[in-house]
């Protein structure tokens, strides 16, 4: 945001229990939806012009919570999904957290409505264990191996979690398009906040 929308005042509402809860359940829960609705209402009450949902795993809860506020809501991975479906018929979704797979695949399918698109999920087994026990390098190696495999089998690769953006410098030799959400998401946020610039 500092680089792309430097004039924006960013306020964060953080609940690090959300990811743990959705990971344990394997899907969003009524409690997650309830908390998200409350957070969105708080954001609206504090004068937000845009609510930017940072976590892909709770993206489907964001859709529900968005109905409780009049402020525009943008999921971090929305712009990424829109661009991915325009890049080919077979789209790979690479994730290291199981709870991210389904909402990410569903979002790409939604953006591909009317197109002949196949969504192929790739869960990087052991990546989180490697990150915790062996470090970032071991984690990145596992993820890169999966991305290379996905690029061989698909027309485009989607990195399902925003945190995977750190891998982009290691993926420059891949000839297929590889999409990561943070920059694309913030650029779409700018277009939403300043629509006259996009004209």
């Amino acid at each position: 945001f500092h680089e792309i929308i430097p004039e924006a005042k960013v306020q964060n509402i953080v609940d690090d229990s959300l990811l743990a809860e959705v990971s344990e359940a394997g899907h969003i829960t009524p409690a997650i939806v309830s908390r998200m609705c409350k957070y969105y209402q708080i954001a609206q009450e504090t004068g937000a012009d845009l609510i930017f949902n940072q976590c892909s795993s709770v993206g489907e809860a964001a859709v529900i919570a968005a109905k409780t506020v009049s402020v525009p809501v943008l999921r971090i991975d929305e712009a990424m999904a829109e661009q991915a479906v325009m890049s080919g018929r077979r789209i790979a979704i690479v994730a290291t957290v199981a709870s991210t797979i389904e909402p990410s695949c569903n979002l790409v399918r939604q953006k591909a409505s009317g197109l002949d698109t196949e969504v192929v999920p790739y869960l990087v087994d052991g990546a989180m264990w490697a990150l915790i026990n062996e470090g970032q390098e071991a984690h990145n190696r596992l993820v890169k191996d999966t991305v290379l495999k996905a690029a061989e089998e698909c027309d485009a690769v989607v990195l399902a979690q925003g945190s995977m953006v750190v891998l982009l410098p290691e993926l420059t030799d891949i000839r297929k398009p590889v999409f990561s959400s943070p920059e694309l998401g913030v650029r779409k946020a700018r277009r939403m906040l300043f629509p006259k610039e996009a004209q």
Side-chain angles (χ1 to χ4, degrees):
F1 273 89
H2 177 69
E3 292 174 5
I4 296 168
I5 320 177
E7 58 270 72
K9 180 182 179 184
V10 178
Q11 296 176 320
N12 298 295
I13 298 175
V14 180
D15 178 353
D16 56 9
S17 72
L18 289 171
L19 183 56
E21 187 171 329
V22 75
S23 296
E24 185 176 335
H27 51 79
I28 59 171
T29 64
I32 287 171
V33 173
S34 175
R35 295 206 299 284
M36 294 275 288
C37 288
K38 289 171 185 154
Y39 300 148
Y40 279 29
Q41 287 158 18
I42 290 167
Q44 179 169 270
E45 288 166 13
T46 57
D49 296 307
L50 175 76
I51 297 172
F52 190 80
N53 186 73
Q54 172 67 28
C55 182
S56 300
S57 290
V58 296
E60 292 174 338
V63 173
I64 298 168
K67 295 175 182 175
T68 69
V69 293
S70 57
V71 178
V73 172
L74 176 62
R75 292 168 62 173
I76 186 173
D77 47 3
E78 201 170 319
M80 173 177 70
E82 289 167 353
Q83 290 202 20
V85 299
M86 302 309 293
S87 299
R89 193 190 72 78
R90 193 171 159 91
I91 311 298
I93 309 293
V94 178
T96 60
V97 179
S99 61
T100 309
I101 286 283
E102 186 176 351
S104 296
C105 287
N106 288 343
L107 179 61
V108 171
R109 289 188 189 104
Q110 175 195 333
K111 296 298 181 182
S113 179
L115 300 173
D116 180 23
T117 301
E118 181 183 0
V119 179
V120 186
Y122 292 81
L123 179 63
V124 188
D125 289 326
M128 295 313 293
W129 184 93
L131 181 63
I132 294 165
N133 295 284
E134 297 179 355
Q136 187 77 47
E137 190 175 330
H139 165 273
N140 290 1
R141 188 166 56 250
L142 281 173
V143 177
K144 183 176 181 180
D145 287 347
T146 302
V147 171
L148 289 169
K149 181 177 188 291
E152 287 177 4
E153 299 172 350
C154 299
D155 300 314
V157 179
V158 166
L159 303 180
Q161 292 133 240
S163 57
M164 298 168 81
V165 68
V166 297
L167 283 163
L168 288 180
E170 299 183 33
L171 304 176
T172 54
D173 54 339
I174 295 176
R175 294 184 179 180
K176 303 284 180 66
V178 178
F179 296 97
S180 176
S181 58
E183 181 178 345
L184 294 173
V186 177
R187 290 196 181 282
K188 179 161 185 172
R190 181 169 190 100
R191 293 194 296 274
M192 292 171 70
L193 288 168
F194 304 103
K196 290 183 180 178
E197 289 183 357
Q199 292 175 357

